[in-house]
Amino acid sequence: MERWDMLELTFDGKTDGNPFTDYEIYGTFTNENETKTVEGFYNGNGRYIVRFMPSFEGEYHYRIYGSFSDKEFEEDFTVTAPSENNHGPVRVSNTYHFSYADGTPYYLVGTTCYVWHIQSEQLKEQTLKSLEKAGFNKIRFCVFPKHYDYNFGEPPCYPFEGTPVDSSTITSENFSQFNGDPEGNNWDFSRFNPEYFRNIERCITELQKLGIEADIIIFHPYDRWGFSMMDMESDMRYLKYLTARLSAYRNVWWSLANEYDLLSAKTAEHWETFGNYLMNNDPYDHLRSIHNCVNFYDHTRPWITHCSIQRHEIFMTNEYREKYNKPIVLDEIAYEGNIQYGWGNITGEEMLRRFWEGALRGGYPGHGETYLGYDNVLWWSHGGELHGESHKRVKFLHEIMLQTPCNGLKLGNRDWDCVCGFPQDDDVAERTGYCIFYFSIMQPLFRDFYLDDDNEYIVEVIDTWEMTITEIGIFKGKFRVPLAGKQYMAVRVRKTDKQNGQVLQ
Amino acid sequence: MERWDMLELTFDGKTDGNPFTDYEIYGTFTNENETKTVEGFYNGNGRYIVRFMPSFEGEYHYRIYGSFSDKEFEEDFTVTAPSENNHGPVRVSNTYHFSYADGTPYYLVGTTCYVWHIQSEQLKEQTLKSLEKAGFNKIRFCVFPKHYDYNFGEPPCYPFEGTPVDSSTITSENFSQFNGDPEGNNWDFSRFNPEYFRNIERCITELQKLGIEADIIIFHPYDRWGFSMMDMESDMRYLKYLTARLSAYRNVWWSLANEYDLLSAKTAEHWETFGNYLMNNDPYDHLRSIHNCVNFYDHTRPWITHCSIQRHEIFMTNEYREKYNKPIVLDEIAYEGNIQYGWGNITGEEMLRRFWEGALRGGYPGHGETYLGYDNVLWWSHGGELHGESHKRVKFLHEIMLQTPCNGLKLGNRDWDCVCGFPQDDDVAERTGYCIFYFSIMQPLFRDFYLDDDNEYIVEVIDTWEMTITEIGIFKGKFRVPLAGKQYMAVRVRKTDKQNGQVLQ
C-alpha cells in the first residue's frame, strides 16, 4: 500500500448482544515516525473492521485488540511512496489557504449535492462524470437523507435499524408538516445499518479516484426521520461510528452541520462537544468546520480549522479573513438556477462573478445549481447533469489560481473600483509583481495603469466568461489596456526578467 | 401672472464704484396671506433686478427700495391661479418623500449633466429634448465650469470679471496638475459677469417649461479657475448673488456642493455657514442638501431638507431613512457607461436595478450616463443624446410610482429574498394591500404567494426591462405567479373590492 491510502483490516468477532455498542476494536499502528491507535467498528454479519491511513512511508507494524475478540492480531506491512495523483489529505496552509499533505497547493473549487449518494446508481455515475468534467475538487454532501422541497423520496436504505414515517402523502404543499421527528418513525439508534455507510464509503472512494474531497455533513435540519433530534447519547454513538468508519479516507472533510442554527434541538454545548470530539478522535486531523444559515458559528473556536460560511455578500470575504484568521470557504453563495427561493435563482454570470470575486479576495466560493425542468432532478440535492453556465468556467478559474506564485491570493488595497488579487506572501507579491485586476459587472472600454517606472510587466487580458487569456504586451510606466466594454473582464500583470523576458517566479 | 411664477422687476440705478457690492436693492411684497422682503441684484449696464415668486393668489402690492436709487417704486399686481402644469415648488412631504406645493406627489427620477448649460446652443437644445423624451424630472448641474477628464474646454464666458489660466496644454495625462487654483487665473471676485448667470437662468426656465427641477450645485471641486478656493468673503458674496438671482424660480433646488469632502479649502464651518445662509436667505425655502464623495455630511443638520447621497450600495437606502428621517436622494449610484472609472461603467440593466431597488426601498436614485464613442460628448457632463438603455425605462418606473396609493413607498420587512415596496402609510398599505415584490437580478421561474385568506388580490407581473404589465388574475389564499425565469421581474398585488372587482384605493 502507498502512503495516505487506506489499509482496511477485517476480523470476525462477537455477535451476541448488540455488537455496535457492546464491543470495542482498536488498532495500534507503529512505524519509526508515528504510533497511532485508532478505533474500529462493527460492520455487521459478525465482521469487525479497523481502518488506517499511514502518514509515512516505510515499515509499519499493527496490533489489533479489544473486547470484540478473545484474540489479538499482529502483522508487519510496508508503505510505499504515494503515486502521482495521491497528495495526501488537505491541510490548512499559509493561514488562509490549503495545501495537500505533500505540500502541493490545493485551490478549492467546490460544489454541493446534498444527497447524491442515495440516488440511483445511474444518477450517481452521472454525478461523478459531471464533477470530473467540470473540474470540481470538493463536494459537500450529507450523511443523512434530506427532507425538503424537491426532496421527498426515500433513500434505498437507512442509517439505523428500524422503519420510517409514512411518506406517501408528502407534497410541496405539506412537507413542512413532517419536519423534525413526526409520529411514525421507529428507529433503534443503537444499531447502525452498515450498508448505509458502505454506500457512502463507495462514494468517497469514487471521489478520491477523481481527486475530489468529500466534505461530509454530519448533521442537518432538513429531516423527517428524527435524525436531527436524537438524544446526546445517540449523537455521540453516531459520531464515534462515523469517525471510526471514515477517518482513514484521505479525502474526507468534516462539516459538523449544514445550517447548524436551524437545528432546533441542538445547543452551543452540543456543537462544542461534537467539535471537540472530532478534533480529539479523528486520528488524522481532517479539516473541520460548521456551516450557518443566518448566524455565523464562532469560527475562532480551536476545533474549527476553516470557516464554512453561507453568505451572498462576497465583498465581505476579506473582512472574514481578518476576523477569523482562517481559510474562508464560502459554502453557499446562492445557487445558479431558476427555482423560486432567493438562494436558488442567480444567473451563471452572477455565480461566476461571485467565484472570481471570492477567489481574488482570498477566499474559496462554492458552486451549486438549482435548475428546474429536468424531471425534478436538481444538482443541489441529487447531482446528475449540470445545466447551467458557471460550472463550465470553473476549470478555467482553477487553472488561473494554480498559477499563483505562492500558496494563495489576498485582496490588495490598491484600487477602490476593481478587485485586486495579490499573492498572499508580500515578498512574493513584491518580487513577482503578480496581480489580477478584476472588473466584475463593470464594462470599461479600457483601463489605464501605472504600476511603477522601473519594472517591465507582461500584461494579459482575461475574459473570465469566454475563458480566454490574451497577452497584450510588455509594458513599463503608464500603459493602457483595452477591455472591450464587456463585463467580467480581468487584467493580469506579472514582472518579467529584464535579461530574458521571462515571468518572474 | 400666476401663482408660483416669477415676477421680474427691472430698475435703473447707480453705476459708480462697484454696483455689485456698493449698493443694495430690496423688494417687499405683500398680500393678505404673506409679506416677503427679498433681495435684488445688479444685472450690469446700470440695471437692477428684483425677482419674486408669489405663494398665494390674489392682490399683491410691492415696494422697491434700497441704496441703488434715490427713488422708491410701488405698484399693485394680481396673481391668478396656477395653470395646469404649474404645481409650485417641490417640498418634503410624508417625511421621506416629496410633493409639489399644491399637494401633487412628486416622484423624483433625476439625472446629472454637470455643465450642460455652458455647452453649445445646439447641444443644450439636444439635452432638453433628451430630458423630455426620457421623462426625467430633475437634473443636477453646477454653477461653475468643470475641470476633469473629458472636461478641459472653456465655458463661453465666466462667472466673474477677469481671465482664466491658459488651458491650451491640458490633456487627459496632465489635467490634475491644473487642479485648484494654478498660477495664471486673474479674477475680480467682487464683480460678477451677469451674462454667465443669465445663461443659467435661461436653462432653468427651459427646464421649468418641461416640468424639470433644477438641482443647482453651488460649489464643486473639479476646478482649475480657483472658484473652489475663494476666500470666505467672496464665497458669501457669491451665495448672496446666486440666491438673489435664482430663488424666485420655483423649480430650483440647492445642492450646496458636489462631493463636498473633496473641496480641500472648505471646512465644516464653511458648510454650516453656507447652509444656514441658504436656509435664512432663500425667501422660498427651496430644498437644500449637500452631496458627498466618501464621507456623508451630517444629514441631521436642520438646514438640510433631504439627503443627497453618493453611494452604490442601494440596499442601504432604508437604513439611511431610519438614520436621517429625511428623503433619501441617491444622487450618484454610478453611471451607465463604459469609461474606465469604476463609478462610470455599469450596464443599463444594473442602473435600472439600482433604480427599482432604491425606489422600492423608499428612496430616489439618480441616473447618469458616461458612454465614450460620441465625440467625447458624455451625458454626465455635457448632456446631448442618451446612448444607454436605462434611460428608456425611467418613464415606466415613474408611471408605476405615480400609481402608489399614498405619497411614497417604503421597504416592507416581508421576504428576505426580494425587495418588497409597500405604501409609506401603514393604514393605506393595510387598506389597499398594495405591494410590489421585486426580484432584481434573480431569475425565478415562478413564485408562490400566500398573502391572506380573506382578501382577493389583483396580481400583475411587471417586466421592468421590457416595460410590460401583465395582469394574471385575481387570487385569494395561496397562488402561483409565473415569472418566466427572467431577471428584473416584479409582481404587484392590490386588494380588490369584493362587490365590483375594482382595485381598492
Side-chain angles (χ1 to χ4, degrees):
Chain A
M1 72 173 303
E2 61 188 58
R3 188 181 178 189
W4 299 310
D5 261 357
M6 186 174 76
L7 177 71
E8 177 171 298
L9 303 166
T10 306
F11 305 92
D12 289 329
K14 295 175 186 169
T15 55
D16 56 320
N18 180 355
F20 292 104
T21 56
D22 294 352
Y23 308 109
E24 302 281 356
I25 178 170
Y26 298 99
T28 297
F29 297 80
T30 308
N31 109 328
E32 60 177 350
N33 296 299
E34 66 172 344
T35 295
K36 269 206 167 85
T37 295
V38 304
E39 285 195 273
F41 58 91
Y42 183 59
N43 197 35
N45 297 321
R47 298 296 189 110
Y48 290 79
I49 290 180
V50 172
R51 289 172 175 165
F52 176 69
M53 176 180 79
S55 298
F56 297 91
E57 296 167 33
E59 299 310 309
Y60 269 85
H61 177 81
Y62 72 73
R63 184 170 74 90
I64 305 298
Y65 56 96
S67 59
F68 80 102
S69 171
D70 299 330
K71 286 183 280 187
E72 293 196 355
F73 306 87
E74 292 201 52
E75 200 84 57
D76 292 329
F77 63 104
T78 303
V79 176
T80 61
S83 55
E84 194 185 1
N85 295 320
N86 172 3
H87 301 287
V90 174
R91 308 295 188 196
V92 171
S93 109
N94 217 0
T95 309
Y96 303 105
H97 303 283
F98 300 103
S99 61
Y100 293 100
D102 74 354
T104 307
Y106 168 79
Y107 292 106
L108 169 54
V109 283
T111 188
T112 296
C113 306
Y114 283 119
V115 285
W116 75 281
H117 61 299
I118 50 176
Q119 309 304 317
S120 71
E121 291 303 315
Q122 188 194 354
L123 200 54
K124 282 193 274 188
E125 196 59 45
Q126 211 172 47
T127 304
L128 289 164
K129 276 189 190 140
S130 300
L131 289 167
E132 183 179 20
K133 190 172 171 205
F136 291 115
N137 59 19
K138 181 175 79 94
I139 180 172
R140 301 166 66 232
F141 64 101
C142 304
V143 174
F144 292 136
K146 183 179 173 189
H147 171 71
Y148 195 77
D149 208 358
Y150 307 111
N151 287 269
F152 309 131
E154 295 290 349
C157 64
Y158 298 91
F160 303 100
E161 288 185 16
T163 51
V165 61
D166 176 16
S167 62
S168 59
T169 61
I170 299 179
T171 66
S172 261
E173 301 290 307
N174 69 6
F175 79 91
S176 62
Q177 295 165 22
F178 289 77
N179 285 355
D181 190 7
E183 201 69 28
N185 284 311
N186 182 23
W187 304 112
D188 181 352
F189 292 136
S190 77
R191 290 179 184 268
F192 298 97
N193 175 5
E195 178 47 28
Y196 190 84
F197 294 89
R198 281 193 292 266
N199 173 59
I200 293 175
E201 290 154 6
R202 285 190 294 271
C203 291
I204 293 172
T205 302
E206 291 305 311
L207 292 169
Q208 190 180 102
K209 286 181 195 163
L210 299 174
I212 300 169
E213 304 294 303
D215 198 355
I216 304 292
I217 298 167
I218 300 177
F219 293 102
H220 69 258
Y222 333 108
D223 180 31
R224 69 168 178 267
W225 301 274
F227 303 151
S228 65
M229 305 183 80
M230 300 188 295
D231 59 23
M232 189 70 167
E233 195 187 346
S234 301
D235 284 340
M236 293 309 296
R237 201 186 302 113
Y238 160 59
L239 264 185
K240 182 176 145 90
Y241 194 68
L242 198 67
T243 47
R245 291 199 74 113
L246 302 190
S247 294
Y249 291 86
R250 67 171 174 267
N251 60 327
V252 160
W253 299 25
W254 303 117
S255 178
L256 189 48
N258 209 66
E259 297 190 322
Y260 83 93
D261 43 338
L262 299 190
L263 280 125
S264 56
K266 299 282 183 275
T267 64
E269 202 189 325
H270 285 96
W271 301 122
E272 285 299 302
T273 305
F274 301 160
N276 281 299
Y277 180 88
L278 284 176
M279 180 167 67
N280 297 323
N281 291 276
D282 165 3
Y284 313 102
D285 206 29
H286 288 287
L287 292 166
R288 295 173 300 270
S289 194
I290 182 165
H291 165 275
N292 65 286
C293 178
V294 174
N295 301 309
F296 286 17
Y297 201 87
D298 174 8
H299 289 298
T300 64
R301 300 297 301 146
W303 60 267
I304 296 181
T305 56
H306 63 284
C307 305
S308 171
I309 288 175
Q310 171 168 208
R311 267 296 180 282
H312 301 180
E313 292 79 15
I314 308 303
F315 66 90
M316 294 291 291
T317 305
N318 37 305
E319 292 183 34
Y320 300 149
R321 282 176 37 132
E322 279 169 36
K323 183 165 181 187
Y324 298 115
N325 271 295
K326 294 179 180 179
I328 305 301
V329 180
L330 299 156
D331 286 317
E332 286 199 83
I333 52 174
Y335 294 78
E336 182 185 344
N338 58 12
I339 62 174
Q340 70 166 325
Y341 306 116
W343 49 261
N345 52 23
I346 64 170
T347 62
E349 288 87 344
E350 177 64 9
M351 173 62 87
L352 193 71
R353 180 192 73 78
R354 295 182 188 190
F355 253 82
W356 273 81
E357 279 218 29
L360 295 178
R361 288 172 185 273
Y364 295 95
H367 165 274
E369 201 184 85
T370 45
Y371 276 107
L372 283 180
Y374 303 94
D375 294 330
N376 276 345
V377 175
L378 285 77
W379 176 261
W380 139 79
S381 271
H382 315 104
E385 286 183 5
L386 284 155
H387 304 287
E389 287 296 326
S390 60
H391 72 89
K392 300 174 187 168
R393 292 154 174 93
V394 162
K395 251 184 196 165
F396 179 74
L397 170 60
H398 188 246
E399 278 163 25
I400 300 270
M401 291 167 82
L402 282 174
Q403 292 159 17
T404 309
C406 64
N407 188 190
L409 290 166
K410 69 174 172 192
L411 183 71
N413 189 18
R414 193 186 184 280
D415 297 340
W416 73 271
D417 61 350
C418 65
V419 183
C420 304
F422 286 92
Q424 178 66 49
D425 302 341
D426 289 335
D427 58 333
V428 176
E430 172 60 29
R431 187 175 72 240
T432 63
Y434 190 103
C435 180
I436 298 176
F437 300 81
Y438 177 59
F439 297 97
S440 180
I441 62 165
M442 293 179 280
Q443 50 174 5
L445 271 180
F446 63 86
R447 178 85 166 188
D448 290 331
F449 287 86
Y450 171 63
L451 302 172
D452 61 62
D453 283 323
D454 303 323
N455 293 288
E456 295 195 320
Y457 288 85
I458 187 163
V459 177
E460 295 159 307
V461 170
I462 302 174
D463 185 329
T464 70
W465 188 254
E466 299 296 342
M467 296 180 281
T468 57
I469 304 177
T470 310
E471 187 181 320
I472 63 153
I474 295 179
F475 298 96
K476 195 160 107 171
K478 291 182 184 177
F479 57 93
R480 173 167 291 191
V481 179
L483 288 165
K486 289 176 65 180
Q487 294 185 295
Y488 313 116
M489 303 294 278
V491 171
R492 182 166 61 178
V493 300
R494 292 183 281 184
K495 285 183 189 171
T496 58
D497 188 301
K498 280 166 190 159
Q499 311 288 301
N500 58 19
Q502 294 298 298
V503 167
L504 290 178
Q505 298 296 335
Chain B
M1 73 173 302
E2 62 188 56
R3 186 181 181 190
W4 299 311
D5 261 356
M6 186 173 76
L7 177 70
E8 178 172 297
L9 303 168
T10 307
F11 305 91
D12 290 329
K14 297 176 187 168
T15 55
D16 55 317
N18 180 355
F20 291 104
T21 56
D22 294 352
Y23 308 108
E24 302 282 356
I25 178 168
Y26 298 100
T28 298
F29 296 80
T30 309
N31 109 330
E32 60 176 352
N33 296 301
E34 67 171 344
T35 294
K36 269 205 168 85
T37 295
V38 305
E39 285 194 274
F41 59 91
Y42 183 59
N43 197 35
N45 296 320
R47 298 297 188 109
Y48 290 77
I49 290 179
V50 173
R51 290 172 174 164
F52 176 68
M53 176 180 80
S55 298
F56 297 92
E57 296 168 35
E59 298 310 309
Y60 270 85
H61 177 81
Y62 73 72
R63 186 170 73 90
I64 306 298
Y65 55 97
S67 59
F68 79 102
S69 171
D70 299 331
K71 286 182 282 187
E72 293 197 355
F73 305 87
E74 292 202 51
E75 200 85 58
D76 291 331
F77 64 103
T78 303
V79 176
T80 62
S83 54
E84 194 186 0
N85 295 320
N86 173 3
H87 301 287
V90 174
R91 308 293 187 197
V92 171
S93 110
N94 218 0
T95 308
Y96 304 104
H97 304 283
F98 300 103
S99 61
Y100 292 101
D102 73 353
T104 308
Y106 168 80
Y107 292 106
L108 169 52
V109 284
T111 187
T112 296
C113 307
Y114 283 118
V115 286
W116 74 282
H117 60 302
I118 50 175
Q119 309 304 316
S120 71
E121 291 303 315
Q122 188 194 353
L123 200 54
K124 281 193 276 188
E125 197 58 44
Q126 209 171 50
T127 304
L128 289 164
K129 277 190 190 139
S130 300
L131 288 167
E132 184 179 19
K133 190 173 173 203
F136 291 115
N137 59 18
K138 181 175 79 93
I139 179 172
R140 299 165 67 230
F141 64 101
C142 304
V143 174
F144 292 136
K146 183 178 173 188
H147 171 72
Y148 195 77
D149 208 358
Y150 307 112
N151 287 270
F152 309 131
E154 295 291 349
C157 63
Y158 299 90
F160 302 101
E161 289 186 16
T163 53
V165 62
D166 175 17
S167 62
S168 59
T169 59
I170 299 179
T171 66
S172 259
E173 300 290 305
N174 70 6
F175 79 90
S176 63
Q177 295 165 22
F178 289 77
N179 284 354
D181 190 7
E183 201 69 28
N185 284 311
N186 182 23
W187 305 112
D188 181 351
F189 291 137
S190 77
R191 291 179 183 269
F192 297 97
N193 175 5
E195 178 48 29
Y196 190 84
F197 294 89
R198 282 194 291 266
N199 173 58
I200 293 176
E201 290 153 7
R202 286 190 293 271
C203 290
I204 293 172
T205 302
E206 291 304 313
L207 293 169
Q208 191 180 100
K209 287 181 195 162
L210 300 175
I212 300 169
E213 304 294 302
D215 199 355
I216 304 292
I217 298 167
I218 300 177
F219 293 101
H220 69 258
Y222 333 108
D223 181 29
R224 70 168 178 268
W225 301 274
F227 302 150
S228 66
M229 305 181 81
M230 300 187 294
D231 59 23
M232 189 69 166
E233 195 187 343
S234 302
D235 284 341
M236 294 308 296
R237 201 186 300 116
Y238 160 60
L239 264 186
K240 183 176 145 89
Y241 194 69
L242 198 68
T243 47
R245 291 200 73 114
L246 302 189
S247 294
Y249 290 87
R250 68 170 174 269
N251 60 327
V252 159
W253 299 25
W254 303 117
S255 178
L256 189 47
N258 207 66
E259 298 190 321
Y260 83 94
D261 44 337
L262 299 190
L263 279 124
S264 56
K266 300 282 183 276
T267 64
E269 203 189 324
H270 285 96
W271 301 122
E272 284 299 301
T273 305
F274 302 158
N276 281 300
Y277 180 87
L278 285 175
M279 181 167 67
N280 297 323
N281 290 275
D282 165 3
Y284 313 102
D285 207 29
H286 288 288
L287 292 166
R288 294 173 301 270
S289 194
I290 182 166
H291 164 275
N292 65 286
C293 177
V294 174
N295 301 309
F296 286 17
Y297 201 86
D298 174 7
H299 289 298
T300 65
R301 299 297 301 146
W303 61 266
I304 295 181
T305 56
H306 63 284
C307 305
S308 171
I309 287 175
Q310 173 171 203
R311 268 295 182 284
H312 302 179
E313 292 78 15
I314 307 302
F315 66 90
M316 293 291 291
T317 305
N318 38 304
E319 293 184 34
Y320 300 150
R321 282 177 38 131
E322 280 170 37
K323 183 166 181 189
Y324 298 115
N325 271 295
K326 295 181 180 178
I328 305 301
V329 180
L330 299 156
D331 287 316
E332 287 200 83
I333 53 174
Y335 294 78
E336 181 185 344
N338 58 13
I339 62 174
Q340 69 167 325
Y341 306 115
W343 49 261
N345 51 25
I346 64 171
T347 62
E349 289 87 343
E350 176 65 8
M351 174 61 86
L352 193 72
R353 180 192 73 77
R354 294 183 188 189
F355 253 81
W356 274 81
E357 279 217 28
L360 295 177
R361 288 173 185 273
Y364 295 95
H367 165 273
E369 200 184 85
T370 45
Y371 275 107
L372 283 180
Y374 303 94
D375 293 330
N376 276 345
V377 175
L378 285 80
W379 175 262
W380 140 78
S381 272
H382 314 105
E385 287 183 2
L386 284 156
H387 305 288
E389 288 296 325
S390 60
H391 71 91
K392 300 174 187 169
R393 292 155 174 92
V394 162
K395 252 184 196 166
F396 179 75
L397 170 59
H398 187 246
E399 278 162 25
I400 299 268
M401 290 167 82
L402 283 175
Q403 293 159 15
T404 310
C406 64
N407 188 192
L409 291 166
K410 70 176 173 191
L411 182 72
N413 189 18
R414 192 185 184 280
D415 296 342
W416 74 271
D417 60 351
C418 64
V419 183
C420 304
F422 285 92
Q424 178 65 51
D425 302 342
D426 289 336
D427 58 332
V428 177
E430 172 60 28
R431 188 175 69 238
T432 63
Y434 190 104
C435 180
I436 298 177
F437 300 81
Y438 177 59
F439 298 97
S440 180
I441 62 167
M442 294 179 280
Q443 51 174 5
L445 271 180
F446 62 86
R447 178 85 166 189
D448 290 332
F449 287 85
Y450 172 64
L451 301 173
D452 60 63
D453 283 323
D454 303 324
N455 294 287
E456 295 196 321
Y457 289 84
I458 186 162
V459 178
E460 295 158 308
V461 171
I462 301 174
D463 185 327
T464 70
W465 188 254
E466 299 295 343
M467 295 180 281
T468 57
I469 304 178
T470 309
E471 186 181 321
I472 63 153
I474 295 179
F475 299 95
K476 196 160 106 169
K478 291 182 186 178
F479 57 93
R480 173 167 291 192
V481 178
L483 288 166
K486 287 176 66 180
Q487 294 185 295
Y488 313 117
M489 303 295 277
V491 171
R492 182 165 62 178
V493 300
R494 293 183 280 185
K495 285 183 189 171
T496 59
D497 187 300
K498 278 166 191 159
Q499 311 289 301
N500 58 20
Q502 295 297 299
V503 167
L504 291 178
Q505 298 296 336

